[in-house]
Amino acid sequence: MRRREPPRRDWPEPPAGGPAPDRCYAPETLLVPNAAPGEEDERVRAIVSALPDGAGPLRRIGICNAAGAIYREVALHGPVQLLYFWAGLNALGYRQRTPEDQAFSKYWLLFGREGTERRPLDGGR
């Protein structure tokens, strides 16, 4: 059993009932124009709407449909939103995808269902 260490003195305790250390933002999502939504789109939107507000760097996540095209963009703020979203997508059968040509993309991560056809990225355009 690990011994619990006392808190360090250089870690200030937040004041009780005080404001958050940084601004918190809700996650945002939108459908990519002229793209066919995936069959689990309602459940993906439910995951996004259930995420807590977060503070941190903006991360754009792309969700791919059965044809392999990106149909939904999700903007997450901070690591907590990212981890909750990632876990929710994994529960639906989505897995992280990497671009085949390692091209520049505006998306920080891509997710697609297992067994879906893969299309190369268009460079985020």
Side-chain angles (χ1 to χ4, degrees), residues 7-22:
R8 297 183 182 183
R9 291 187 185 158
D10 56 342
W11 292 350
E13 290 295 321
D22 201 2

